[in-house]
C-alpha cells in the first residue's frame, strides 16, 4: 500500500523565530522514491517533521493521501507515515531492542502474532536479529541508528521517511540501508530519504530534491539535478556532485554510473601502447 504526500506553500517558524521553511511546494507521488539533500540547517529535518504531525505548518498545508494533515491526530498520521529520526537517541526509549521495535506496531493495535512477525522481519532487515535482548544503549551509534530504522519498518506504514540513515554507517551498513530502500520501493511504498552522502544519493535515488535556506532549489531525476548547468547552484548549497555523476551528466547518461563502471569504461578506452 502506498499514498501520495503534498506540501502547499508550507512555512514553518520555530518558537525562537527561526524561519526554517520559507514556502515549500512539493508533491511526492504514491510509491515514489525521493532523496532530500541540502546543507546543514537548510530545513530537511523540519520538512519531514511536518509529514507525521511532529510539527504543524505555521502557514500552508500538508496533505497526506489527499487529507489535510491538520485534520488528523498524531496517532492517525503514525499509521500512515513512519519517520526514523536523524538522532536515534531522541527516538529510542525502551530497555530492550525487541521491545523498542514492537512498540510501534503494538501501538497501532496489531495482533500479537503480527507484531512478533513484524519485529523479526525488521530486525532481520537491519541485521540486528541476534541482538533482540540487548539494551539499546549497549549498542554503538551505528547500530542504534539501524534500530531506529527497524522500529519504523515494523510499523509497515505506506510512507517511510529515513532522516540521514547512512550517518555513522560503514560500507556494510550503507549497503543495508540501500537494500532497505530498494525493498520498500519494490513493495510500492513511498520512500523519502534525507542524506548528505552525494554518492549514496546519486546511486540510490530516483528523484532528488535539493533544499537551500528553507526552500526547494532543485528537483528532478539525478541526471537532471546533476546536469552541468546546475553545478553552480549545487555549489552554492555546498553540495558537490560526485565525479561519476558529473561524468554521467556530461556524457548525457540518464542514470549515474557507479564508480566501478566508470573505472571500467576509462580502462577500456585507454589507448594501447
Ligand atoms: P537540516 O535537517 O537540513 O540540517 P533543520 O530542519 O534541522 O535542517 O534546521 C533548519 C533550521 O531550523 C536551522 O536554522 C536550524 O538551526 C533551525 N532549527 C532546527 N531545530 C530547531 C529548534 N528546535 N528550534 C529552533 N530552531 C531550530
Ligand atoms: Mg537534519
Amino acid at each position: 500500500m502506498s499514498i501520495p504526500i503534498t506540501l502547499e506553500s508550507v512555512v514553518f517558524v520555530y518558537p525562537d523565530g527561526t524561519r526554517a521553511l520559507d514556502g515549500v511546494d512539493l508533491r511526492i507521488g504514491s510509491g515514489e522514491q525521493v532523496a532530500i539533500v541540502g546543507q546543514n540547517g537548510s530545513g530537511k529535518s523540519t520538512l519531514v517533521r511536518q509529514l507525521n504531525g511532529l510539527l504543524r505548518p505555521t502557514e500552508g498545508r500538508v496533505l497526506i493521501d489527499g487529507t489535510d494533515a491538520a485534520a488528523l491526530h498524531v496517532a492517525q498520521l503514525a499509521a500512515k507515515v513512519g519517520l526514523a529520526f536523524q538522532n536515534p537517541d531522541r527516538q529510542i526509549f525502551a530497555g530492550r531492542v525487541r521491545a523498542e521495535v514492537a512498540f510501534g506496531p503494538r501501538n497501532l493495535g496489531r495482533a500479537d502474532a503480527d507484531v512478533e512477525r513484524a519485529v523479526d522481519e525488521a530486525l532481520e532487515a537491519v541485521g540486528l536479529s541476534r541482538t533482540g535482548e540487548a539494551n539499546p544503549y549497549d549498542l554503538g551509534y551505528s547500530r542504534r541508528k539501524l534500530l531506529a530504522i527497524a522500529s519504523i519498518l515494523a510499523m509497515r506504514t505506506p510512507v517511510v521517511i529515513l532522516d540521514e540513515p547512512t550517518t555513522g554507517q560503514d560500507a556494510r551498513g550503507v549497503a543495508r540501508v540501500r537494500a532497505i530502500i530498494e525493498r520498500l520501493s519494490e513493495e510500492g511504498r513511498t520512500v523519502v530519504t534525507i542524506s548528505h552522502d552525494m554518492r549514496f544519493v546519486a546511486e540510490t535515488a530516483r528523484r532528488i530534491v535539493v533544499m537551500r535556506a528553507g526552500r526547494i532549489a532543485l528537483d528532478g531525476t539525478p541526471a537532471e539535478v546533476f546536469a552541468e548547468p546546475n553545478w553552480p547552484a549545487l555549489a552554492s548549497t555546498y553540495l558537490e556532485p560526485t565525479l561519476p555523476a558529473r561524468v554521467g551528466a556530461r556524457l548525457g547518461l540518464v542514470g549515474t554510473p557507479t564508480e566501478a563502471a566508470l573505472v571500467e569504461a576509462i580502462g577500456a578506452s585507454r589507448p594501447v601502447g
Side-chain angles (χ1 to χ4, degrees):
M1 197 190 68
S2 168
I3 57 177
I5 304 166
T6 307
L7 289 92
E8 291 177 352
S9 312
V10 172
V11 170
F12 184 81
V13 183
Y14 281 104
D16 70 357
T18 304
R19 197 175 174 89
L21 298 178
D22 190 24
V24 171
D25 285 289
L26 179 66
R27 186 188 147 81
I28 298 175
S30 191
E32 264 199 269
Q33 196 259 82
V34 184
I36 301 179
V37 304
Q39 77 171 119
N40 254 335
S42 57
K44 307 181 296 295
S45 293
T46 305
L47 189 157
V48 296
R49 287 186 202 128
Q50 314 290 317
L51 303 177
N52 73 341
L54 217 54
L55 297 176
R56 303 288 189 167
T58 309
E59 291 170 32
R61 294 203 304 166
V62 173
L63 303 175
I64 305 292
D65 202 11
T67 304
D68 190 338
L72 300 170
H73 295 293
V74 170
Q76 291 170 304
L77 284 167
K80 293 175 187 286
V81 180
L83 166 63
F85 289 14
Q86 177 169 356
N87 179 352
D89 299 336
R90 294 203 169 182
Q91 187 182 326
I92 294 168
F93 65 94
R96 290 274 176 269
V97 164
R98 277 196 80 87
E100 179 67 38
V101 181
F103 178 82
R106 190 158 285 146
N107 208 38
L108 292 177
R110 308 260 159 86
D112 285 352
D114 287 346
V115 172
E116 292 305 307
R117 205 175 319 120
V119 171
D120 287 339
E121 283 180 19
L123 289 177
E124 175 77 40
V126 301
L128 291 177
S129 296
R130 298 208 210 150
T131 320
E133 297 312 313
N135 182 323
Y137 286 92
D138 291 334
L139 306 179
Y141 180 82
S142 60
R143 293 208 288 172
R144 291 206 300 285
K145 195 91 196 163
L146 291 167
L147 171 59
I149 293 171
S151 303
I152 297 308
L153 294 179
M155 293 169 76
R156 294 185 170 138
T157 47
V159 180
V160 177
I161 305 172
L162 306 175
D163 193 345
E164 308 267 7
T166 59
T167 306
Q169 303 297 331
D170 60 12
R172 205 155 142 227
V174 172
R176 259 189 217 293
V177 171
R178 180 173 304 165
I180 288 167
I181 293 170
E182 277 162 11
R183 169 130 168 243
L184 289 168
S185 209
E186 275 162 24
E187 290 169 359
R189 290 197 272 165
T190 309
V191 190
V192 180
T193 308
I194 292 178
S195 181
H196 262 103
D197 181 340
M198 294 302 272
R199 180 173 167 188
F200 179 79
V201 166
E203 292 180 7
T204 311
R206 310 229 180 101
R207 174 180 169 195
I208 301 176
V209 171
V210 180
M211 291 201 64
R212 182 177 49 216
R215 292 175 182 228
I216 292 174
L218 295 167
D219 181 356
T221 64
E224 287 163 356
V225 166
F226 292 137
E228 209 165 340
N230 289 331
W231 294 354
L234 288 168
S236 77
T237 66
Y238 301 95
L239 295 170
E240 200 173 344
T242 60
L243 180 62
R246 280 180 286 155
V247 172
R250 193 160 264 182
L251 295 177
L253 302 182
V254 176
T256 296
T258 62
E259 256 168 54
L262 189 64
V263 166
E264 200 161 290
I266 292 170
S269 68
R270 187 186 299 136
V272 181

